[in-house]
């Protein structure tokens, strides 16, 4: 494997190079990074718990829950474009402004709910792409794994917290708009802290920096990274959406099913930190990739075949695998790319394709369940996807993705 160094990033003048290295691990930068990560999922996870009390039909609810991954896939290319035009720091700030607008628009009735979700999803698509690039640019190479682990852990933890508080907020206020409006808290924090980074000038880029990620379409390593992220993200969105229904169908009560998804999300937060932290310390990420897939298979097998009374334990195992599968790709974007520009390209390609694939997961799972009358069929299909992932993804742990 050829380990790609950070110092080979796009050519910079003396002052630019100095600026790019200033305060790599500074406390202010760390606070900014944490706040950005807190914004990456909270706008979405409050919707699911409110669907029963909002009186939405099944088709309407399906469309509403499909919008986020679909839009994050469609708008991911904007992340690389935004970085090219204004740089990482300004791009994150602009995207946070758009995210705040989207969250506000969601409170304007049912039309606003759908329109605001699209706007918020577009903003988060840009945040998703730019965050790993910021890590590569502003943090020391030895910190990449830990920072991407923190990135995934904060996404999982904030998602779990939002899912937990949304219904109590609705019950206390009687308003789903106020309950969903809780997502404004981290967005406003982002608007408060991100301006501290606007003094960092964008890195001057060569003409090749304006080439789109289409140049990666012939690179097998880029496709391996994209495939790993796509399948893991499809499983993540599908299982988080349907795990309570799967548990109830297996004989668990609603309370037990709720406990299982809570334990799964705890596992997601833990795996989201541990997976990237482990992968970032290694020259090759092949073993962490295979371990991630194995954890998902074991957890899925336990959900399918073990007694319902042990479901919480298997949900934790599954969650650790799902969380690692969300965090390790961030390490791969940095490790497989030769420079910051290629990191943005690879992040854009993997997320652009991956979230579009993920958007099909909940719908396909529901269709397979409806056709077969059992959740066993979609769960077996997920297991087959994981086996395919194990066969195709190890290359994502080595090699170089270059356009």
């Amino acid at each position: 494997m050829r380990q790609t160094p950070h110092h080979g990033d796009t050519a910079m003048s003396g002052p630019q190079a100095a600026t790019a290295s200033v305060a790599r691990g500074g406390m202010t930068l760390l606070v900014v990074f944490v706040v950005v990560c807190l914004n990456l999922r909270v706008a979405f996870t409050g919707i699911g718990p409110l669907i029963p009390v909002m009186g939405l039909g099944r088709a309407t609810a399906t469309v509403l829950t499909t919008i986020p991954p679909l839009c994050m896939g469609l708008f991911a290319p904007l992340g690389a474009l935004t970085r090219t035009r204004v740089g990482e720091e300004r791009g994150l700030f602009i995207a946070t402004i758009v995210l705040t607008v989207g969250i506000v628009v969601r409170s304007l009735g049912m039309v606003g709910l759908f329109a605001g979700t699209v706007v918020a999803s577009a903003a988060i698509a840009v945040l998703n792409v730019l965050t790993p690039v910021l890590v590569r640019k502003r943090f020391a190479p030895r910190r990449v794994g830990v920072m991407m682990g923190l990135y995934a852990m904060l996404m999982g933890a904030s998602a779990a917290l939002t899912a937990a508080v949304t219904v109590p907020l609705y019950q206390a206020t009687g308003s789903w708009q106020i309950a969903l409006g809780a997502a404004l808290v981290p967005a406003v924090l982002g608007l408060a802290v991100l301006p501290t980074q606007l003094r960092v000038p964008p890195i001057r880029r060569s003409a090749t920096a304006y080439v789109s990620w289409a140049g990666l379409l012939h690179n097998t390593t880029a496709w391996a990274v994209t495939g790993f992220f796509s399948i893991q993200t499809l499983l993540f969105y599908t299982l988080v959406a349907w795990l309570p229904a799967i548990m109830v169908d297996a004989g668990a009560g609603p309370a037990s099913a709720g406990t299982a998804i809570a334990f799964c999300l705890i596992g997601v937060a833990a795996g989201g930190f541990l997976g990237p932290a482990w992968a970032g310390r290694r020259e090759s990420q092949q073993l962490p990739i295979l371990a991630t897939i194995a954890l998902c298979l074991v957890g899925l097998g336990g959900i399918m075949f073990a007694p319902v009374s042990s479901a919480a334990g298997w949900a934790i195992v599954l969650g650790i695998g799902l969380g690692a599968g969300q965090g390790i790709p961030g390490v791969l974007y940095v490790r497989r790319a030769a420079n910051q520009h290629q990191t943005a390209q690879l992040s854009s390609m993997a997320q652009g394709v991956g979230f579009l694939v993920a958007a099909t997961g909940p719908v396909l799972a529901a269709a397979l369940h409806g056709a077969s009358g059992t959740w066993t069929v979609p769960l077996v299909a997920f297991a087959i996807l994981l086996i395919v992932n194990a066969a195709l993804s190890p290359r994502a742990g080595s090699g170089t993705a270059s356009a």
Side-chain angles (χ1 to χ4, degrees):
M1 167 189 167
R2 181 172 77 91
Q3 184 64 46
T4 52
H6 286 247
H7 56 266
D9 290 357
T10 48
M12 295 181 287
S13 65
Q16 287 173 316
T19 302
S21 63
V22 168
R24 284 181 175 269
M27 184 57 66
T28 302
L29 175 61
L30 180 60
V31 170
V32 168
F33 178 76
V34 167
V35 172
V36 169
C37 292
L38 290 176
N39 276 290
L40 296 179
R41 294 296 180 271
V42 295
F44 305 147
T45 51
I47 294 176
L50 287 177
I51 286 175
V53 301
M54 291 171 66
L56 300 179
R58 185 178 183 88
T60 302
T62 299
V63 171
L64 189 59
T65 55
T66 302
I67 286 174
L70 180 63
C71 288
M72 285 194 289
L74 291 173
F75 291 104
L78 283 180
L81 178 62
T82 300
R83 175 192 177 263
T84 299
R85 298 298 176 85
V86 300
E88 294 81 2
E89 293 81 6
R90 289 168 178 77
L92 289 169
F93 183 57
I94 292 170
T96 304
I97 294 174
V98 176
L99 172 62
T100 305
V101 171
I103 295 171
V104 172
V105 169
R106 289 197 308 181
S107 67
L108 306 178
M110 291 305 298
V111 174
L113 176 62
F114 283 86
T117 300
V118 171
V119 173
S121 300
I124 291 175
V126 174
L127 294 172
N128 281 336
V129 171
L130 293 183
T131 304
V133 187
L134 181 75
V135 169
R136 175 162 192 149
K137 175 183 178 182
R138 300 292 300 280
F139 292 93
R142 68 181 185 279
R143 302 291 185 191
V144 168
V146 172
M147 298 313 299
M148 294 314 302
L150 186 61
Y151 159 88
M153 182 185 73
L154 289 169
M155 281 198 301
S158 60
L161 179 62
T162 302
V165 304
T166 301
V167 172
L169 277 174
Y170 170 78
Q171 292 172 338
T173 64
S175 168
W176 60 262
Q177 290 94 335
I178 293 176
L180 290 179
L184 275 173
V185 174
V188 171
L189 285 175
L191 295 180
V193 300
L194 275 163
T196 64
Q197 303 302 305
L198 298 183
R199 68 181 183 276
V200 179
I203 294 174
R204 187 172 62 198
R205 298 164 182 82
S206 64
T208 59
Y210 294 90
V211 180
S212 74
W213 57 258
L216 294 174
L217 295 179
H218 301 290
N219 184 279
T220 55
T221 299
W223 275 113
V225 172
T226 299
F228 175 68
F229 177 78
S230 297
I231 292 178
Q232 293 300 132
T233 304
L234 181 149
L235 291 171
F236 176 83
Y237 276 93
T238 305
L239 289 171
V240 168
W242 291 116
L243 185 59
I246 292 170
M247 298 307 306
V248 170
D249 194 59
S256 296
T259 300
I261 189 63
F263 276 107
C264 182
L265 290 172
I266 291 171
V268 166
F273 178 77
L274 295 174
W278 177 32
R281 292 197 302 268
R282 297 177 59 87
E283 183 178 359
S284 168
Q285 287 73 48
Q286 290 179 333
L287 182 58
I289 286 172
L290 291 175
T292 294
I293 295 169
L295 283 168
C296 290
L297 275 170
V298 171
L300 205 58
I303 296 294
M304 283 193 287
F305 302 117
V308 174
S309 59
S310 64
W314 296 113
I316 290 177
V317 174
L318 177 62
I320 292 172
L322 292 174
Q326 293 300 290
I328 289 176
V331 176
L332 301 179
Y333 304 151
V334 174
R335 291 287 192 253
R336 300 287 77 81
N339 52 54
Q340 290 174 29
H341 171 57
Q342 288 183 3
T343 298
Q345 286 183 318
L346 183 56
S347 178
S348 176
M349 173 181 172
Q351 296 189 60
V353 175
F355 281 117
L356 290 177
V357 172
T360 68
V363 177
L364 291 176
L368 288 172
H369 173 258
S372 64
T374 174
W375 284 108
T376 302
V377 172
L379 290 177
V380 169
F382 297 158
I384 293 172
L385 278 177
L386 284 167
I387 293 170
V388 171
N389 214 12
L392 298 180
S393 291
R395 183 171 177 80
S398 61
T400 302
S402 57

